[in-house]
């Protein structure tokens, strides 16, 4: 899983532009290095595998990640920040999966 985090002071229009660029095929890692303020930006936003119940990210953001299919990208407006979340892959069949999602972890 990858994330790109921007403060709301960045502006909704800027966040939507970056999201649109990513949907059009821009490199997520490059955009994260350029625009993200979180500690994962140097690694292109890569957070690695996230599991249901993990404390690596707030529950509401983990829920968004688990609602996405591999390759999907979503812009989330939440608690003073804009988050762009991308699920790189999922690992079906492991315990702990969300009821409507076969994988317990997203990458």
């Amino acid at each position: 899983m990858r994330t790109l985090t921007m403060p709301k002071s960045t502006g909704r229009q800027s966040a939507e532009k970056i999201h649109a660029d990513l949907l059009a095929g821009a490199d997520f890692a490059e955009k994260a290095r350029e625009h993200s303020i979180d500690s994962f930006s140097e690694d292109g936003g890569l957070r690695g595998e996230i599991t249901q119940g993990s404390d690596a990210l707030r529950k509401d953001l983990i829920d968004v990640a688990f609602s996405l299919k591999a390759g999907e990208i979503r812009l989330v407006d939440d608690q003073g920040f804009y988050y762009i979340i991308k699920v790189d892959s999922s690992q079906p069949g492991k315990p702990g999966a969300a009821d409507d999602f076969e994988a317990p972890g997203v990458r």
Side-chain angles (χ1 to χ4, degrees):
M1 184 177 114
R2 294 180 184 271
T3 60
L4 191 158
T5 306
M6 298 165 286
K8 284 213 177 167
S9 61
T10 301
R12 176 110 187 146
Q13 190 172 19
S14 293
E16 287 175 347
K17 168 74 169 106
I18 294 166
H19 182 238
D21 290 348
L22 292 168
L23 292 174
D27 183 78
F28 197 101
E30 183 179 309
K31 292 289 186 182
R33 285 186 201 98
E34 290 175 24
H35 301 285
S36 188
I37 62 165
D38 67 29
S39 61
F40 297 93
S41 63
E42 289 182 18
D43 293 326
L46 184 63
R47 288 182 176 261
E49 183 176 346
I50 302 292
T51 57
Q52 285 286 55
S54 170
D55 63 358
L57 200 58
R58 286 197 339 266
K59 182 186 179 321
D60 54 330
L61 298 175
I62 290 175
D63 290 346
V64 169
F66 274 84
S67 74
L68 301 175
K69 294 179 180 159
E72 284 188 303
I73 301 169
R74 170 116 8 110
L75 174 63
V76 179
D77 178 348
D78 189 58
Q79 296 188 8
F81 296 93
Y82 295 110
Y83 299 92
I84 300 177
I85 299 172
K86 179 181 181 186
V87 172
D88 291 322
S89 64
S90 62
Q91 296 185 358
K94 286 187 180 177
D99 292 339
D100 59 345
F101 190 79
E102 289 186 10
V106 292
R107 290 182 170 236

